[in-house]
C-alpha cells in the first residue's frame, strides 16, 4: 500500500484539456469522470463530433469501478455510448443527468441495461477505493455537481462546470458549506481541479436570472410569434422562457427531436414546470394566433441542418417545419462556440432578410455564460484551500491564465500543474509529480461511428477543398502507345474558362506530343506533371491531378477478326 | 437637368454592405469611393481574397471621373489593382493612403502610371459633377477621412471607417467643425452614410491611447524578447509600440515584407516617427540581448503562412525566420476577424506550448476597435443632422441595429434605407426612393488572379472535403466485357480499414458479378452506384465515387499478330 499512488489522468479531447473525460486511479481501482464529446471546429470537414481517445483504458476496463457524471451537457455525457461499448461500467448521476443519459441510451438494447445509479447532491458513494461526495453547484443546467473524491491519498475536489449563481433559476445556489467543509476536515484538500473556461473573463459571471428581463421585454414587444433558439440540454433556459411566456399569456411548443425528448424527460422528473394547458405541439402552435405562441427550437449554433438553420434557408437537409414570416421575433439564447460564429451570424442575417427581428447578445442580454469568471475562480480556490491546483476545462491559454489567478491567491507556482491531455499526474505520500504520458488525443466520429480518419486524412480533405480536382482520361493505343482518341477532362471544385475548349485543346496537344515521343518511364506520371504545369500556367491553379490511361484495343485485333 | 438624379450604389462584397466599394452617379458622371477587398471566411477553401463584383461599371468606365479613398486599410484599398485594370481612373487620396496605394501598385508597369492626386484633409476637389471635401476623422490608421460629396441634388456625408477618438496617437482628433458645418449650410445634409461595424456595441469605443499602458506594462515585465503581432497597415499601432519600446530602451525591428514596406513608406512620409538608432533589421535584432528587442510581425489573424503562424509551427509555407523561445513575450495587438478566431487561439496555444507568454485582449487590453460604438454613432447622426440615413459598413444585422439608433435620435423610419449590395438608391428633387437592383455580389481571387469560381464550385469543394474521394479503376476485357484483372482503388480524405483488403475484395466480387451479367445500360454508372452502396454499408461513408473502365486489348489481338 505504501507505494500505492493516486493517479489523475486528463483523457483526450481537441484543444480543451481534462474537459470531456478524466480518469482517477488508485491501486487496482479506476474511476471515470464524465464521458463527453466535442463539436468539431469547421476546419474538420465531414466530422460529426469528436470523442476522447481513451485507449489507455481499453485493457483496464475490468478495473473501472464506475463512471461518475458532473452534469448532463453533451460535452460531458455525449460520448457515453462509445465509452460503454468498451467499458460497460456502472454509472452514477444525479436525477436529471440520469434522465438525459437514458434518453441517449434508450435506442441501444445492450447499453441501456447497464445500471445508472441515481445519486442526490449531498450523498456519498463508495466506488472501489474511492468515496465520492456529490456537491451541488450552479451551472446552466439543474442538478450539476462538483465531486469530492476521497482516496487513501487524500481528498480531491473536481468542480465540473460551474459558476457561483446566487439566484439560480431552480432556486438552489451552490452548496458552499459542503465545498468549504473539506478544507477543515482531516488533512484538508490535497488538490483542486477546477473549470477554467472563462479564466480570461474578469469579474463575476451574471446570474442566469439577469436574462429574464431581456426575455420579457423581447416577448412583450414581439408583435407576433416568438422563437427561442438554444441548446437542447439547456434545461434552465427552457424553464425561464416558459415562465416568461406564461406570464405574457403565450403557450410554448418545443420543436426538434432532441428538444422535445429532453423537455419531456425534464418535465417528467420535475425539472421543467409547465402546466398542461401551456404545453402545446408545433401543429397546435401553428394554428394559434402568432402573438400567443413561443417556439423553443434548436440551432443556436447556426447548424444548417438544425431547425433554425433550415428556417433561415441555410440549405440543411430535411424539410422546413414552417416558414419565417415578417413579424416573427427570433431570440438566440446562446453564445456561438468559437468556430461557429460565422454560421450563427449568417443565420441571423438570413432571418433578418426573411423579415424576422432577431435578438442576440449583445443586442439584448438574452444569454449569459454558465461558467465562472475570474473572481469566482478565486473564491473557489479560497473556499477549498487546496494544497495543489490543477486547472482543467479549457484551452492551454485558459489553464495558464487560471494558474496565474491561483498564484494571486497564494498557491505557490510549484504546486500548480498546467498539463495537457494524456499527462498522468501522480500523488504519492502527499507529493505531486508528473508521471508518464499516455495517449491523450481524440477520435473522430463520422456517420455515427468511430472512424479511422487521421489528421493526415483531414489535411487531404482540406487540400482537396483548396485545390479542387482535375481528372484526365487518356485513350492510348495498346499497340502503338499513341493517343487514340479525344481526351476526357473532369473537374471538381473549379470550372474551366468558357467550357474549357482552349485548355483541353492545349492539354491534348501536349499529351499527344509526349506519347508520340514514346516517352520512357512512368507515362501516367509524366502526363500528370504536364497537366499540373498547364493548369498552373493557364489557370493559375494547382488542382490535384489524376491521369488515367485507357488502353484501346489495336485496330489489328478488329482486322484480324474479320480476316479470320 | 430636372430629371437628373443622384444615384448611390453599394457595390459588391461578401456579407458586409457598402464597405469595400461604392459608386455615386449624377448625370453622366460617376465617382467611386474605395476599392477594398475582403478576407475569406474559412469555409471558402482555396480563395485568397474576395473583391466586389463591380460589373455594373464595366461598360461605364469612360464615365468614371475619379476614385476617392477614405483611408489606407486593405478592406478599402486592396482591390485597387483589379479595379484599375478595368477602370483606369485618376485616384484621390490623403498622403498616407496614397503611399499605401503606391506600395500596392509599384509592381505593375502600367497601373503605377495612373495618377494618384494627393489631397489633404480640409481640401475640396471638383470631380465631374461632384465636389468632394475631405474631412479628417480618427480611425486606427492616420490620414483617414470622411467625405462630403456635393452634387446638384445636395450634400451627402460618407463617413468611411471612423471612431471619435479624443486622444488619437497622431494628436489629430476628428474635425468636428467641418462635419457639423454642413448641417447649417444651404439645404443642410441630404443624406448620411455611416459606418455600422460596431452598431451592436453599447457606449463609446476607447481611445487607441488606452492600450499604451497595457503595452508598457507588458514590455516592462517581459524578461526577454517582445513580439507584437498586428496588421501590416495598422500604422498608428506601430507608432505606439515604437514609442513604448524607446521609452523602455528597446530597439524595434519590422518582420515580414508587407510590414517592412509599409513601415518604411509611413516613416518616409513622416507618419511613423522612429529614430535611426532604434530602427533595426531582424538580423541585428537576433544578435542583440533579447530584453533590448521588440519585433513587429504579421499574423495577428493566425494565418498559418504569416510570420507568427510559422513561429507557432502551424505549418504554413516558408521557413521560420527564427524560433520562439521560453522567455519570449508575444502580444497580439488585434482582434480576430470573425472566422479567424479558431486560428488565432490555436496560434496562441501553440506559442504557449513553445514557452512563450502570450498577451491578448481580454487577458490584457492590447487592442481596441477602430470603429465607433453606439454613442458615437448617435453623435455622428446629431452632428450631421441628415434628412435621410443609409447605414453602411456592416452585415445586415449591424445595419438594422444602426437604423434603430437613428430612429432613437429622431430620424423617421421612412427616411432610413437599409439595403443590400447592388440596390440603387436614387435621390430626385430631395426625395429618396429605391431604384433598380444591379449586380452586387462578389468575385473570388485565387492565385492572385480573378477566378471564375462560382458558389457552386465552392459547394463542390466543401462536398469533396466532407465526403472524400473514392476512385476505382476497372480493367474490362474489350472482347467479353468481363473483369480482366485486379481492380485498383484510390482514396483521398479517408483511409480504408486495415489497408482495405476486405473492402476491395468485396468490391471486386460485386463488380465481377455485375460485369459477368453483361449488364445493359451505362456500365460506369452501375458500378458507381454499386461502389457507393458498398462504401455506405461497409464504411458508413458517402464518398464521391468515380469509376474508370480500362478496356483491355483482347488476347485475340496478340494471337493474331503471332498467327500472321
Amino acid at each position: 500500500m505504501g507505494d500505492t499512488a493516486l493517479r489523475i489522468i486528463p483523457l483526450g479531447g481537441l484543444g480543451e484539456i481534462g474537459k470531456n473525460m478524466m480518469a482517477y486511479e488508485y491501486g487496482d481501482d479506476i474511476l471515470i469522470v464524465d464521458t463527453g464529446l466535442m463539436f468539431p471546429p469547421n476546419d474538420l470537414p465531414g466530422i460529426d463530433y469528436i470523442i476522447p481517445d481513451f485507449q489507455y483504458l481499453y485493457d483496464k476496463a475490468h478495473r473501472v469501478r464506475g463512471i461518475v457524471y458532473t452534469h448532463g451537457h453533451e460535452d460531458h455525457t455525449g460520448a457515453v455510448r462509445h465509452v460503454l461499448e468498451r467499458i460497460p461500467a456502472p454509472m452514477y448521476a444525479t436525477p436529471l443527468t440520469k434522465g438525459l443519459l437514458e434518453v441517449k441510451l434508450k435506442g441501444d438494447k445492450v447499453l441501456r441495461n447497464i445500471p445508472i445509479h441515481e445519486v442526490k447532491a449531498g450523498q456519498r458513494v463508495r466506488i472501489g477505493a474511492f468515496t465520492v461526495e456529490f456537491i451541488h453547484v450552479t451551472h446552466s443546467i439543474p442538478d450539476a455537481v462538483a465531486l469530492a473524491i476521497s482516496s487513501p491519498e487524500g481528498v480531491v475536489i473536481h468542480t465540473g462546470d460551474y459558476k457561483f449563481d446566487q439566484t439560480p433559476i431552480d432556486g438552489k445556489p451552490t452548496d458552499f458549506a459542503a465545498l468549504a467543509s473539506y478544507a477543515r476536515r482531516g488533512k484538508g484538500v490535497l488538490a483542486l481541479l477546477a473549470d477554467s473556461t472563462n479564466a480570461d473573463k474578469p469579474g463575476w459571471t451574471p446570474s442566469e436570472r439577469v436574462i429574464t428581463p431581456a426575455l420579457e421585454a423581447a416577448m412583450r414587444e414581439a408583435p407576433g410569434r416568438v422563437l427561442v433558439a438554444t441548446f437542447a440540454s439547456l434545461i434552465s433556459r427552457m424553464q425561464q422562457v416558459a415562465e416568461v411566456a406564461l406570464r405574457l399569456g403565450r403557450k410554448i411548443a418545443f420543436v426538434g427531436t432532441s428538444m422535445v425528448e429532453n423537455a419531456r424527460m425534464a418535465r417528467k422528473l420535475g425539472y421543467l414546470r409547465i402546466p398542461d394547458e401551456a404545453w402545446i405541439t408545433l401543429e397546435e402552435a401553428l394554428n394559434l394566433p402568432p402573438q400567443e405562441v413561443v417556439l423553443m427550437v434548436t440551432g443556436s449554433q447556426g447548424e444548417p441542418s438544425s431547425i433554425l438553420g433550415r428556417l433561415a434557408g441555410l440549405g440543411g437537409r430535411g424539410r422546413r417545419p414552417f416558414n419565417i414570416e415578417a413579424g416573427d421575433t427570433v431570440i438566440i439564447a446562446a453564445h456561438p462556440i468559437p468556430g461557429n460564429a460565422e454560421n450563427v451570424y449568417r443565420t441571423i442575417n438570413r432571418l433578418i432578410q426573411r423579415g424576422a427581428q432577431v435578438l442576440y447578445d449583445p443586442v439584448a442580454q438574452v444569454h449569459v455564460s454558465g461558467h465562472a469568471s475570474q473572481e469566482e475562480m478565486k473564491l473557489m480556490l479560497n473556499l477549498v484551500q487546496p494544497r495543489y491546483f490543477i486547472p482543467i476545462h479549457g484551452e492551454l491559454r485558459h489553464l495558464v491564465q487560471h494558474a496565474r489567478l491561483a498564484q494571486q491567491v497564494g498557491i505557490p507556482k510549484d504546486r500548480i500543474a498546467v498539463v495537457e491531455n494524456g499527462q498522468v499526474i501522480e500523488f504519492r505520500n502527499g507529493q505531486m509529480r508528473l508521471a508518464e504520458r499516455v495517449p491523450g488525443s481524440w477520435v473522430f466520429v463520422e456517420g455515427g461511428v468511430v472512424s479511422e480518419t487521421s489528421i493526415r486524412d483531414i489535411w487531404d480533405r482540406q487540400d482537396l477543398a483548396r485545390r479542387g480536382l482535375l481528372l484526365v482520361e487518356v485513350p492510348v493505343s495498346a499497340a502503338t502507345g499513341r493517343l487514340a482518341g479525344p481526351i476526357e477532362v473532369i473537374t471538381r471544385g473549379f470550372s474551366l474558362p468558357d467550357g474549357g475548349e482552349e485548355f483541353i485543346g492545349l492539354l491534348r496537344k501536349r499529351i499527344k506530343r509526349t506519347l508520340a515521343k514514346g516517352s520512357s518511364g512512368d507515362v501516367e506520371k509524366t502526363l500528370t506533371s504536364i497537366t499540373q504545369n498547364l493548369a498552373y500556367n493557364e489557370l493559375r491553379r494547382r488542382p490535384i491531378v489524376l491521369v488515367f490511361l485507357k488502353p484501346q484495343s489495336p485496330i489489328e485485333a478488329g482486322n484480324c477478326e474479320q480476316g479470320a
Side-chain angles (χ1 to χ4, degrees), chain A:
Chain A
M1 237 1 231
D3 76 325
T4 340
L6 170 68
R7 290 155 53 85
I8 303 179
I9 310 165
L11 289 163
L14 188 66
E16 288 201 272
I17 292 143
K19 169 112 187 163
N20 310 115
M21 186 174 180
M22 290 193 64
Y24 287 75
E25 212 175 346
Y26 187 87
D28 214 34
D29 299 336
I30 296 174
L31 178 74
I32 293 175
V33 175
D34 291 338
T35 59
L37 59 74
M38 305 196 77
F39 297 101
N42 55 10
D43 53 1
L44 290 182
I47 305 300
D48 300 340
Y49 56 88
I50 299 159
I51 62 172
D53 174 1
F54 57 99
Q55 57 178 288
Y56 170 74
L57 297 176
Y58 290 177
D59 61 355
K60 302 178 186 63
H62 59 288
R63 291 173 46 200
V64 176
R65 309 296 173 217
I67 305 173
V68 182
Y69 287 94
T70 58
H71 65 290
H73 283 156
E74 284 297 318
D75 52 351
H76 292 259
T77 62
V80 59
R81 202 162 48 77
H82 302 284
V83 173
L84 291 181
E85 274 164 5
R86 288 185 174 269
I87 308 174
M91 292 161 275
Y92 299 81
T94 50
L96 179 59
T97 309
K98 179 169 183 262
L100 288 160
L101 287 166
E102 283 166 345
V103 169
K104 281 183 198 313
L105 297 173
K106 73 176 186 322
D108 190 298
K109 291 189 177 41
V110 181
L111 302 182
R112 70 184 177 200
N113 297 323
I114 300 172
I116 307 179
H117 302 295
E118 177 171 310
V119 290
K120 292 244 163 44
Q123 218 172 307
R124 272 209 189 75
V125 182
R126 180 148 191 88
I127 306 172
F130 304 96
T131 303
V132 181
E133 179 179 354
F134 295 76
I135 302 172
H136 178 71
V137 295
T138 48
H139 184 40
S140 48
I141 184 170
D143 250 9
V145 289
L147 306 170
I149 302 172
S150 307
S151 74
E153 191 53 39
V155 180
V156 175
I157 305 282
H158 181 117
T159 67
D161 289 358
Y162 80 97
K163 69 177 181 182
F164 289 133
D165 190 337
Q166 309 296 359
T167 55
I169 300 309
D170 65 3
K172 297 177 187 156
T174 298
D175 185 347
F176 293 99
L179 270 177
S181 66
Y182 284 90
R184 299 243 174 298
R185 209 179 298 167
K187 293 209 249 73
V189 173
L190 176 64
L192 169 69
L193 281 70
D195 178 1
S196 313
T197 307
N198 282 349
D200 58 12
K201 302 265 187 316
W204 282 72
T205 303
S207 166
E208 294 287 306
R209 188 77 62 183
V210 305
I211 77 173
T212 301
L215 284 174
E216 186 146 0
M219 285 201 210
R220 180 170 289 111
E221 290 156 24
R225 261 188 321 211
V226 173
L227 285 77
V228 181
T230 189
F231 294 102
S233 58
L234 213 52
I235 307 294
S236 47
R237 194 56 44 86
M238 295 181 185
Q239 181 62 48
Q240 235 171 329
V241 171
E243 286 172 6
V244 174
L246 295 182
R247 261 205 301 283
L248 299 176
R250 288 178 183 260
K251 293 174 165 25
I252 186 163
F254 294 87
V255 190
T257 320
S258 51
M259 206 34 111
V260 173
E261 285 185 338
N262 289 344
R264 278 219 193 90
M265 179 277 304
R267 190 179 180 214
K268 202 170 99 254
L269 298 181
Y271 289 90
L272 193 52
R273 294 170 304 284
I274 304 178
D276 290 332
E277 62 279 12
W279 178 296
I280 57 175
T281 66
L282 175 59
E283 290 58 38
E284 294 168 325
L286 296 181
N287 294 321
L288 279 173
Q291 62 280 11
E292 294 175 18
V293 172
V294 174
L295 302 169
M296 291 283 302
V297 302
T298 55
S300 62
Q301 296 303 302
E303 314 90 314
S305 57
S306 67
I307 302 289
L308 199 63
R310 281 183 266 155
L311 290 173
L314 283 179
R317 290 199 210 80
R319 59 172 254 294
R320 275 184 215 166
F322 56 93
N323 287 315
I324 285 292
E325 289 153 17
D328 286 344
T329 300
V330 180
I331 298 171
I332 313 280
H335 277 164
I337 295 168
N340 294 348
E342 283 162 271
N343 283 340
V344 172
Y345 295 136
R346 192 169 298 147
T347 305
I348 291 172
N349 291 325
R350 295 291 198 85
L351 291 168
I352 292 172
Q353 270 177 330
R354 284 167 157 63
Q357 183 187 34
V358 186
L359 296 171
Y360 57 99
D361 189 33
V363 168
Q365 192 172 20
V366 289
H367 179 73
V368 287
S369 170
H371 298 273
S373 298
Q374 291 179 346
E375 294 311 309
E376 290 155 286
M377 293 176 171
K378 293 178 200 163
L379 175 55
M380 178 62 86
L381 282 153
N382 287 330
L383 276 170
V384 173
Q385 298 173 42
R387 178 170 171 79
Y388 294 99
F389 176 61
I390 303 164
I392 55 171
H393 295 7
E395 300 167 26
L396 205 43
R397 65 194 177 98
H398 299 119
L399 305 191
V400 167
Q401 189 60 25
H402 202 175
R404 285 199 198 107
L405 299 176
Q407 285 175 264
Q408 287 173 23
V409 301
I411 300 196
K413 206 163 191 292
D414 61 0
R415 294 216 194 131
I416 302 172
V418 172
V419 301
E420 299 196 68
N421 287 319
Q423 173 63 61
V424 179
I425 302 159
E426 203 171 80
F427 291 92
R428 194 187 296 273
N429 311 323
Q431 298 302 313
M432 175 176 74
R433 75 175 192 91
L434 301 188
E436 82 274 20
R437 285 198 72 134
V438 304
S441 63
W442 57 84
V443 170
F444 296 129
V445 176
E446 294 176 285
V449 302
V450 167
S451 74
E452 304 194 347
T453 301
S454 66
I455 272 296
R456 166 98 230 113
D457 293 320
I458 295 293
W459 290 338
D460 282 348
R461 291 182 194 185
Q462 294 168 343
D463 199 44
L464 269 172
R466 269 192 299 269
R467 299 166 59 189
L469 197 64
L470 178 60
L471 300 163
V472 191
E473 276 188 283
V474 183
V476 183
S477 154
T480 64
R482 288 165 170 271
L483 188 61
I487 63 173
E488 227 183 275
V489 175
I490 305 170
T491 68
R492 279 282 184 128
F494 68 95
S495 316
L496 296 170
D498 14 273
E501 273 198 34
E502 189 190 347
F503 179 80
I504 296 174
L506 282 168
L507 184 58
R508 183 170 199 285
K509 268 206 214 71
R510 305 218 176 165
I511 290 176
K512 190 172 181 182
R513 202 186 309 133
T514 317
L515 292 173
K517 278 208 228 85
S519 78
S520 58
D522 184 336
V523 181
E524 281 189 14
K525 211 165 161 200
T526 318
L527 297 188
T528 302
S529 61
I530 284 177
T531 311
Q532 281 164 334
N533 295 337
L534 193 68
Y536 185 72
N537 297 333
E538 295 300 310
L539 314 172
R540 285 275 169 277
R541 294 188 180 280
R542 305 181 187 282
I544 291 170
V545 172
L546 294 159
V547 172
F548 297 90
L549 298 180
K550 262 194 143 97
Q552 304 296 308
S553 47
I555 307 84
E556 290 80 3
N559 296 354
C560 168
E561 273 149 354
Q562 284 157 17

